[in-house]
Amino acid sequence: MVSKRAANIAESLTLAITAKANKMKAEGVNVVGFGAGEPDFNTPDYIVAAAKEALDKGVTKYTPSGGMPKLKEAICNKFKNDNGLSYVPAQVVVSNGAKHTLHNICQALIDDGDEVIIPAPYWLTYPELVRIAGGVPVFVECTEKNGFKMTAAQLKKAITPKTKALIFNSPSNPTGAVYTLDEIKALGKVIEDAGIYVISDEIYEKLVYGGAKHYSIAALSQKLYDHTVTVNGVSKTYAMTGWRIGYMGAPLQLAKAIDNMQSHTTSNANSIAQYATITAMTGGKEFMDKLVKTFDERRTYMVGRINKLPLVSALMPEGAFYVMMNVKNLFGKSYKGRKIACANCVADVFLEFAAAAVVPGEAFGADDYVRLSYAISIEDIKRGLDGIEAVLKEI
Ligand code: PLP
């Protein structure tokens, strides 16, 4: 009954764990949810006030499909000031979250059978968006030894005559890897030579720690600018996940095509959220500093603690708010009669015996890992890791 396209989409691997965690919570177990994909902060007051103002002013009608002119202007200024990128408003499209932006880009860029390179571990939505568009995801395995980063040589090897684009995500969800300028330059050279496109998802741009810096690949050369769509949004930076505002800067022809498609599908993003985003983007430094400082402290605590636990380890991530825990040494062991053969099994054991809900790495193309988010309170992180420690000590 369902179309081939829909039947082709994988069920979320995290669903089973989430369902089980919810059931335990309903039964009164105080489960620590390490799966959090959003900041545990409320949207700053000055943004909420702007939304109220929008309502009072009657900003409740359709806007141009690609976004309010004032918001597009604010986005162009942001791209210029933060990323060294010159986009004019016609190159910018505002959508219902960066996920929607990425979907639009895939629809506008990918033809049936086109290959799209995705470095693994990856954000689990990327392959599905490529498949929905009729494309073929091609995964490049990035090792922990190389900081979970793809090398230029690996990229070169993965490119075929069918390659249309690379999805690039720095800082990365799930690994927290942040590519250095030299690393991006090396990838940029391969991309330029091959003439492929880059979908650069920079949503975690502001969440970098310990001196790591974010660079936009489109800013490196005219050729890269002409072949890159730069994606961003306000969800993570301003704690605005529920507001659903994402945006992109793209070559004009692509931006026009995306605007056309959006005008016939969702039309404009919510007018009140757009209005508030104009205000969000012109302030928020104090909030962001606090966010980064808090995440940095939790990151240091979490990784320090994990690396003192038996059998598991973690690399110090430089960005976003996730830690990949290497659980390979647990494979082949068992706990309370339960055989541990995979990351999914580890997640199951942690949930059942430590009341800690982690995301199994199979979801991200990282079979030897589980992902822990530190977008939860330090008390919860401590409690969750206490539980995990008690289990690990008995294995
Ligand atoms: N890109 C990455 C790597 C993400 O982790 C997320 C959210 O989890 C998004 C994009 C989408 O963000 P949103 O649709 O809330 O703007």
Side-chain angles (χ1 to χ4, degrees):
M1 182 234 288
V2 296
S3 67
K4 281 191 200 120
R5 192 180 302 116
N8 204 14
I9 304 308
E11 189 185 350
S12 168
L13 272 175
T14 57
L15 275 185
I17 289 276
T18 310
K20 205 163 165 187
N22 287 341
K23 187 166 171 278
M24 285 170 67
K25 278 183 200 163
E27 288 164 2
V29 183
N30 198 0
V31 176
V32 175
F34 281 112
E38 56 188 343
D40 55 323
F41 284 64
N42 287 333
T43 306
D45 289 345
Y46 79 100
I47 302 172
V48 174
K52 288 178 183 162
E53 187 183 290
L55 285 167
D56 290 340
K57 275 186 164 174
V59 186
T60 52
K61 304 274 197 292
Y62 289 132
T63 76
S65 57
M68 288 177 177
K70 276 217 161 109
L71 176 55
K72 285 189 170 196
E73 228 174 83
I75 290 168
C76 289
N77 288 338
K78 179 256 176 282
F79 275 137
K80 182 98 209 137
N81 297 333
D82 293 357
N83 310 102
L85 289 168
S86 294
Y87 289 117
V88 295
Q91 291 176 278
V92 169
V93 178
V94 180
S95 303
N96 302 285
K99 190 182 269 186
H100 182 218
T101 302
L102 288 160
H103 172 68
N104 282 342
I105 296 165
C106 288
Q107 291 296 320
L109 201 58
I110 299 168
D111 279 315
D112 281 346
D114 281 351
E115 291 179 359
V116 177
I117 296 173
I118 302 176
Y122 46 78
W123 182 43
L124 52 99
T125 291
Y126 295 145
E128 304 310 338
L129 290 180
V130 170
R131 288 187 186 112
I132 292 170
V136 180
V138 173
F139 302 111
V140 173
E141 197 189 330
C142 306
T143 60
E144 184 176 346
K145 212 169 135 214
N146 200 44
F148 295 114
K149 295 179 195 178
M150 179 175 66
T151 64
Q154 282 182 304
L155 174 61
K156 195 168 176 183
K157 206 167 150 218
I159 293 173
T160 76
K162 285 188 174 172
T163 307
K164 185 70 184 269
L166 158 72
I167 301 184
F168 186 59
N169 177 218
S170 174
S172 152
N173 172 10
T175 67
V178 181
Y179 284 70
T180 65
L181 183 57
D182 281 347
E183 287 163 347
I184 296 180
K185 277 184 180 165
L187 295 176
K189 172 95 184 44
V190 177
I191 291 157
E192 283 181 347
D193 290 348
I196 62 171
Y197 290 87
V198 185
I199 301 167
S200 182
D201 179 352
E202 306 184 6
I203 193 126
Y204 292 99
E205 157 187 36
K206 300 288 182 198
L207 301 178
V208 288
Y209 319 106
K213 271 192 81 175
H214 167 79
Y215 297 95
S216 293
I217 192 163
L220 293 190
S221 72
Q222 184 62 41
K223 189 156 184 194
L224 285 168
Y225 175 89
D226 290 338
H227 283 78
T228 300
V229 192
T230 308
V231 178
N232 215 317
V234 291
S235 283
K236 318 286 174 176
T237 313
Y238 297 98
M240 289 177 71
T241 45
W243 299 65
R244 310 311 301 132
I245 296 289
Y247 58 85
M248 52 151 231
L252 192 58
Q253 196 190 357
L254 191 61
K256 267 194 156 159
I258 288 171
D259 197 349
N260 282 343
M261 278 193 335
Q262 182 163 296
S263 76
H264 291 295
T265 51
T266 59
S267 296
N268 60 275
N270 177 295
S271 62
I272 300 148
Q274 284 194 62
Y275 186 90
T277 298
I278 300 170
T279 303
M281 294 184 77
T282 45
K285 178 155 182 348
E286 209 177 290
F287 172 79
M288 248 179 272
D289 287 349
K290 191 171 144 217
L291 193 70
V292 169
K293 187 168 172 283
T294 308
F295 282 156
D296 191 10
E297 284 164 8
R298 294 173 183 172
R299 166 189 82 120
T300 313
Y301 172 79
M302 190 185 255
V303 174
R305 183 86 195 269
I306 289 172
N307 284 327
K308 284 195 202 108
L309 299 177
L311 297 165
V312 298
S313 64
L315 207 63
M316 182 66 84
E318 293 190 296
F321 42 69
Y322 310 99
V323 171
M324 293 292 267
M325 183 194 272
N326 188 324
V327 294
K328 198 176 176 189
N329 288 335
L330 293 171
F331 299 170
K333 301 198 181 295
S334 51
Y335 184 73
K336 299 210 165 151
R338 193 78 64 77
K339 282 216 157 25
I340 302 175
C342 61
N344 218 342
C345 316
V346 174
D348 233 23
V349 166
F350 284 177
L351 180 59
E352 200 162 329
F353 301 103
V358 302
V359 185
E362 287 94 338
F364 315 109
D367 293 2
D368 296 341
Y369 300 86
V370 295
R371 191 195 72 177
L372 283 75
S373 162
Y374 48 90
I376 57 173
S377 73
I378 194 90
E379 292 75 25
D380 276 354
I381 294 174
K382 280 183 181 155
R383 192 160 60 82
L385 290 177
D386 285 347
I388 289 174
E389 179 169 13
V391 168
L392 290 174
K393 280 187 169 161
E394 286 180 10
I395 290 180

